[in-house]
Amino acid sequence: MTSHSGKVVLVTGAGRGIGQAIADAHAAAGASVAYLDHDPALAAAAAEAARARGATTLAVSADVADEASVKAAVARIVDTLGPIGVLINNAGISPKSGADGKRAKLGEMSAEEWRRVLDVNLTGAFLCASAVVPAMRVAGRGSIVSVSSVAGKTYCDIVGVHYAATKAALIGFTKHLAGELGPDGITVNAVAPGRIDTPLMRGTAPEANEAARMATPLRRLGSPEDVAQTCLFLTSDNAAFVTGQVCDVAGGWLMT
Ligand SMILES: NC(=O)c1ccc[n+]([C@@H]2O[C@H](COP(=O)([O-])OP(=O)(O)OC[C@H]3O[C@@H](n4cnc5c(N)ncnc54)[C@H](O)[C@@H]3O)[C@@H](O)[C@H]2O)c1
């Protein structure tokens, strides 16, 4: 018996990076895990790799920004794995569409790009929570963890204002829902990673990553597993009395 056996877990953006590590950690802890990603090949490969290690997994292709896509994905997961007890809102984008090929600054950013980042990073969390919470209410238990960012708490010069705004909004989303869903036995928390070494970060200049490392008391970038283990705690029975919290996973970069 492992900490998460019997739980059905949905992780969005689970095809690679932090989402894959979160999904893998839950699978290794005995959960049945739906690996949802809008890239079907990434979802399939990640779910298959975990299955080869003995886990029960399902690859699901969906765009979290699209309501019909999310509803269809959740219906398939429930049919195949059972009612979802844990939702991890991880899928997120951070476009590098600026004139210099880095983050777009105000004036360079189109309204279309602004809306897409809000749709994926914020509305995606709303749509997924809306799809899974009714069954959690019936069960009288459940947990939701959203992946925010230190960039939602303070200025971070490698992301755009759209990204920062969504990550700050996820914190309000988390605290509000913790209050609203607490009486139903559902915990709602967020993690705020600092600089984590993932494909999303590979385009960042080495000097910028080195500066981030030196600004981090623990003197390294984070790993996807660092974030995954914190999520695993927050969705475990050990965190049953923890809700409405934002847990930084940032090596001490920002201490608030
Ligand atoms: N890497 C970091 O330093 C860092 C720091 C703080 C927060 N985060 C957050 O962590 C999360 C994961 O980041 P990452 O670095 O692993 O990114 P990543 O780009 O490596 O992986 C993101 C995954 O999400 C999927 N995805 C993107 N849009 C989607 C959509 N509309 N629907 C479904 N899936 C979609 C992608 O296909 C990809 O597999 C994001 O929310 C990101 O903002 C990352």
Side-chain angles (χ1 to χ4, degrees), residues 12-19 36-39 42 62-65 89-94 116 120-121 147-151 163 167 192-201:
T12 69
R16 69 178 198 188
I18 293 170
L36 183 150
D37 205 284
H38 74 154
D39 182 326
L42 287 180
D63 178 354
V64 295
N89 288 313
N90 165 80
I93 54 173
S94 182
R116 180 64 187 163
V120 175
N121 294 9
V147 181
S148 174
S149 171
V150 166
Y163 180 90
K167 295 302 176 181
R195 193 78 58 97
I196 308 296
D197 187 16
T198 69
L200 187 76
M201 297 305 303

Side-chain angles (χ1 to χ4, degrees), residues 102-118:
K102 297 183 181 162
R103 57 149 186 170
K105 300 182 185 67
L106 203 68
E108 299 174 324
M109 186 183 295
S110 67
E112 189 188 351
E113 180 176 299
W114 165 270
R115 285 194 198 96
R116 180 64 187 163
V117 173
L118 263 69

Side-chain angles (χ1 to χ4, degrees), residues 14-233:
R16 69 178 198 188
I18 293 170
Q20 183 178 9
I22 295 170
D24 287 349
H26 283 81
S32 300
V33 181
Y35 286 66
L36 183 150
D37 205 284
H38 74 154
D39 182 326
L42 287 180
E48 178 51 39
R51 203 174 307 129
R53 293 191 293 270
T56 301
T57 66
L58 177 69
V60 189
S61 166
D63 178 354
V64 295
D66 182 273
E67 186 173 12
S69 177
V70 168
K71 281 185 172 165
V74 167
R76 195 170 148 233
I77 295 163
V78 173
D79 277 355
T80 312
L81 300 178
I84 296 165
V86 173
L87 166 65
I88 311 284
N89 288 313
N90 165 80
I93 54 173
S94 182
K96 304 275 183 283
S97 60
D100 52 4
K102 297 183 181 162
R103 57 149 186 170
K105 300 182 185 67
L106 203 68
E108 299 174 324
M109 186 183 295
S110 67
E112 189 188 351
E113 180 176 299
W114 165 270
R115 285 194 198 96
R116 180 64 187 163
V117 173
L118 263 69
D119 281 351
V120 175
N121 294 9
L122 181 58
T123 306
F126 160 75
L127 292 174
C128 291
S130 299
V132 304
V133 159
M136 288 181 179
R137 278 201 167 111
V138 170
R141 59 181 300 166
S143 51
I144 300 173
V145 178
S146 297
V147 181
S148 174
S149 171
V150 166
K153 296 176 151 194
T154 190
Y155 177 67
C156 175
D157 66 1
I158 61 163
V159 304
V161 64
H162 42 16
Y163 180 90
T166 60
K167 295 302 176 181
L170 279 176
I171 294 173
F173 173 88
T174 294
K175 292 185 177 186
H176 183 92
L177 281 188
E180 197 169 298
L181 301 178
D184 294 305
I186 301 167
T187 64
V188 189
N189 293 289
V191 291
R195 193 78 58 97
I196 308 296
D197 187 16
T198 69
L200 187 76
M201 297 305 303
R202 301 272 151 80
T204 305
E207 316 81 77
N209 280 338
E210 180 57 14
R213 192 179 75 79
M214 292 311 291
T216 302
L218 290 177
R219 291 287 186 274
R220 65 175 175 89
L221 300 190
S223 69
E225 291 70 30
D226 288 323
V227 183
Q229 289 303 320
T230 305
C231 291
L232 193 65
F233 166 69

